[in-house]
Amino acid sequence: MKIDPRTVGAQVRMRTPSLTPLEARVVDTMTGRADLDLTTSLREVAEEAGVSDAMIVKIAKKLGFNGYRDFREALVEYRQSDVASLHAEISPEDSAADIVRKVFNTAVQALEETMSILDMEAFERAATLLHGARNRDFYGLGGSAQIARDVAHKFLRIGLRATVQDDAHMMLMSASLLGPEDVVVAFSHSGATSAVLEATRLARANGARTIALTNYSNAPLAEIADVTLCSTAQGSPLLGENAAARIAQLNIMDAIFVAVAQRDFPTAEARLAKTMRSVSDKRNK
């Protein structure tokens, strides 16, 4: 089956952490070639990278491609796609207009690529778990905690209990009280944040269902979660990956929220009106 060119950059980024340092360097060599085209030979790439032909083929398969030719063709098509053309590095000479355009385009690219790789079966399962949960605990540190707060606020507005834990000790205490009727959503860009991993493991050990939201499909967090949802964002020296990835993750969770509310829309609408009246009454006192 032919790979969608829009997903190539995301597929490579998501799987790069599973490569050895040598394999990652070889990928950087290949993706960094400005002259890469459909005539670039396997031997040429191998010689430039200083590895064997077999190593190049092995890496291509490790990244999810059938072999070197499949990887080469997909990479060439990706570079010609609208998604890839959105990304541009920020430079000291950029004007204010250049900065705005590049920062916005980085976010647009993250959204386009995340939508192209989103596992819809996992999305549906996550929405079903959250809709039927007794309690919904959201775990995250730093920037991930901001996403957790945003989505918890939305769930509370439609009368669904949601709690945010952004401290390692509080996560563990919360996880120790959860059971089979509860759901944890764990946010970690790297998928390797130790505090989030530890709390998620404990919650699952106690019977709670777990949903991971991360940038890497084979991250430790993804391996222990019942459901994994992946965002993706291309990094840059100044912005890094996290800024754009947070935008993609916020949109994933916004879509999850709408899917949960849709399962019983009249009730969600009634609860929203009730919570908004409560807030309004409080402000008017």
Side-chain angles (χ1 to χ4, degrees):
M1 184 175 67
K2 188 176 177 61
I3 294 176
D4 185 339
R6 297 174 303 165
T7 71
V8 172
Q11 295 284 358
V12 171
R13 286 195 297 276
M14 285 195 301
R15 299 185 183 186
T16 295
S18 67
L19 302 179
T20 67
L22 174 60
E23 289 171 340
R25 181 175 62 78
V26 172
V27 171
D28 287 342
T29 298
M30 187 169 176
T31 57
R33 286 187 64 127
D35 61 344
L36 184 76
D37 59 31
L38 297 179
T39 67
T40 305
S41 69
L42 172 60
R43 178 96 295 269
E44 188 180 349
V45 173
E47 288 179 353
E48 182 181 356
V51 297
S52 66
D53 293 6
M55 172 68 84
I56 299 291
V57 175
K58 174 187 173 185
I59 293 170
K61 290 183 176 179
K62 207 168 178 179
L63 291 173
F65 300 94
N66 294 325
Y68 168 71
R69 289 185 179 180
D70 188 33
F71 183 26
R72 178 189 63 189
E73 180 182 346
L75 190 57
V76 169
E77 288 189 34
Y78 170 70
R79 287 180 170 180
Q80 295 170 348
S81 70
D82 292 339
V83 171
S85 66
L86 288 170
H87 182 78
E89 296 290 356
I90 295 172
S91 72
E93 294 76 30
D94 284 342
S95 66
D98 290 332
I99 291 170
V100 169
R101 176 177 54 82
K102 289 181 179 180
V103 170
F104 275 59
N105 281 348
T106 296
V108 170
Q109 183 196 40
L111 291 172
E112 289 276 4
E113 290 192 331
T114 295
M115 187 166 63
S116 72
I117 64 164
L118 190 60
D119 183 337
M120 293 313 302
E121 287 187 9
F123 178 91
E124 289 278 2
R125 192 175 174 204
T128 298
L129 288 174
L130 285 165
H131 177 257
R134 177 182 60 183
N135 293 305
R136 300 154 194 82
D137 269 19
F138 298 91
Y139 298 164
L141 298 178
S144 292
Q146 304 306 318
I147 303 170
R149 289 190 189 94
D150 181 84
V151 68
H153 173 259
K154 288 183 172 69
F155 278 117
L156 284 170
R157 289 179 68 204
I158 59 170
L160 298 180
R161 290 193 173 275
T163 305
V164 178
Q165 307 297 347
D166 60 358
D167 173 85
H169 293 149
M170 293 297 290
M171 286 181 202
L172 288 173
M173 285 190 281
S174 168
S176 70
L177 299 174
L178 300 180
E181 296 180 350
D182 304 316
V183 173
V184 164
V185 182
F187 299 85
S188 172
H189 176 76
S190 67
T193 308
S194 58
V196 174
L197 278 170
E198 190 176 1
T200 303
R201 284 195 189 98
L202 179 58
R204 190 172 186 187
N206 286 330
R209 310 309 292 272
T210 54
I211 300 168
L213 192 57
T214 181
N215 211 55
Y216 302 105
S217 58
N218 54 1
L221 183 61
E223 292 174 359
I224 65 172
D226 294 302
V227 180
T228 299
L229 297 168
C230 285
S231 59
T232 182
Q234 185 163 338
S236 68
L238 188 58
L239 287 175
E241 289 181 346
N242 292 28
R246 280 198 295 273
I247 292 172
Q249 289 179 359
L250 279 167
N251 276 265
I252 290 174
M253 293 312 300
D254 279 352
I256 288 280
F257 164 74
V258 172
V260 170
Q262 185 190 51
R263 278 161 166 74
D264 189 356
F265 191 75
T267 299
E269 198 171 38
R271 286 174 174 172
L272 175 60
K274 181 179 179 180
T275 55
M276 292 300 96
R277 279 199 305 271
S278 297
V279 172
S280 178
D281 290 344
K282 177 68 174 177
R283 286 175 178 168
N284 292 332
K285 285 183 179 179

